[in-house]
Amino acid sequence: MTKVLEAKNIVRDYHVPGGMFRPARTVHAVKGVSFSVDRGKTLAIVGESGCGKSTLARIVTMIDAATAGDLLIDGNKVDIAKEKLTSEMRRKVQIVFQNPYGSLNPRQKIGDVLAEPLLINTDVPVSERRDRAMTMLKKVGLEEKHFNRYPHMFSGGQRQRIAIARALMLNPSLLVLDEPVSALDLSVQAQVLNLLADLQDEFQLTYVFISHDLSVVRYIADDVMVMYFGEAVEYGSRDEVFSNPQHSYTKTLFAATPRADVESIRARIARKQAAAA
Ligand SMILES: Nc1ncnc2c1ncn2[C@@H]1O[C@H](COP(=O)(O)OP(=O)(O)O)[C@@H](O)[C@H]1O
Ligand SMILES: [Mg+2]
């Protein structure tokens, strides 16, 4: 098994400057977290709001630098603080956010949204950019007729498909998904999760999937890391973590979660579609 991602003792402190009435302080957002993900696998990072999930996502995506610790992508050490990262390194890791609307330019047609990463990062000629964008559009379950439409003409689920398609345009090896389905209706969540599972198989993708929703995590994860106030309090295979949670926070988290089971949602959608046909 090859490790696509390895993180060793990642620390991230934020220095918050003081104001007139409050002293400067340091937020310890991530306190020495280690994990790794093998090619084609999904690591889910779960925990409540503010525990440091998005901070880790930004570090893994090389948007932000860790205060301490080592990050290895495909076995190569990343050091964004010291040297300029090669575009090759950046290309390998892409991110999808919870709200794709924020990252889609309202005046850009979807075809151009998808072709843009190729325009910026490669010398692929225009006709081939177009072809590849069209192919990817179909891969994520959209149609040719959507190519010339604008972001506001799509539903939330479709926009998330577009964000996923854009993230895949440069053939990344690792996709970081930060709460990718949290803003979607349950039935749409299941569809997008199925799409992610299909794409993972087809492109041998490796996922870091961030969520606060355990039913989603149970469905998508190979391994699970539970975070609590910047620390990993639980880390293991999905079955280990779900069947035998060790930490008291995880036990509370599991006990508090309604068991909206994604399998049953999928079955229901299938029944509905069959009935409508
Ligand atoms: N740019 C920043 N400056 C200061 N504090 C931050 C910054 N970004 C995040 N934090 C703090 O770091 C902690 C972790 O935040 P975050 O990684 O966004 O958590 P999560 O994604 O799990 O909700 C929180 O206490 C948050 O307020
Ligand atoms: Mg977050």
Side-chain angles (χ1 to χ4, degrees), residues 47-55 57-58 98 178-179 210:
E48 65 199 20
S49 177
C51 71
K53 304 185 296 298
S54 294
T55 299
R58 286 193 297 272
Q98 174 172 349
D178 191 354
E179 306 263 9
I210 293 172

Side-chain angles (χ1 to χ4, degrees), residues 190-201:
Q191 292 163 2
V192 173
L193 291 173
N194 284 341
L195 171 68
L196 286 169
D198 291 345
L199 292 169
Q200 181 167 49
D201 287 345

Side-chain angles (χ1 to χ4, degrees), residues 146-222:
H146 293 126
F147 200 79
N148 287 314
R149 294 193 186 164
Y150 293 92
H152 75 266
M153 302 162 95
F154 293 89
S155 68
Q158 288 174 322
R159 280 202 284 268
Q160 203 53 298
R161 287 173 191 268
I162 294 163
I164 292 165
R166 180 175 56 183
L168 294 181
M169 284 306 293
L170 296 171
N171 298 321
S173 28
L174 177 68
L175 208 54
V176 176
L177 302 135
D178 191 354
E179 306 263 9
V181 297
S182 302
L184 305 174
D185 291 341
L186 274 190
S187 62
V188 181
Q189 282 194 13
Q191 292 163 2
V192 173
L193 291 173
N194 284 341
L195 171 68
L196 286 169
D198 291 345
L199 292 169
Q200 181 167 49
D201 287 345
E202 180 166 357
F203 297 112
Q204 271 288 293
L205 289 166
T206 307
Y207 291 158
V208 171
F209 189 101
I210 293 172
S211 180
H212 63 273
D213 183 341
L214 289 173
S215 57
V216 168
V217 168
R218 185 194 278 275
Y219 172 70
I220 196 119
D222 294 297

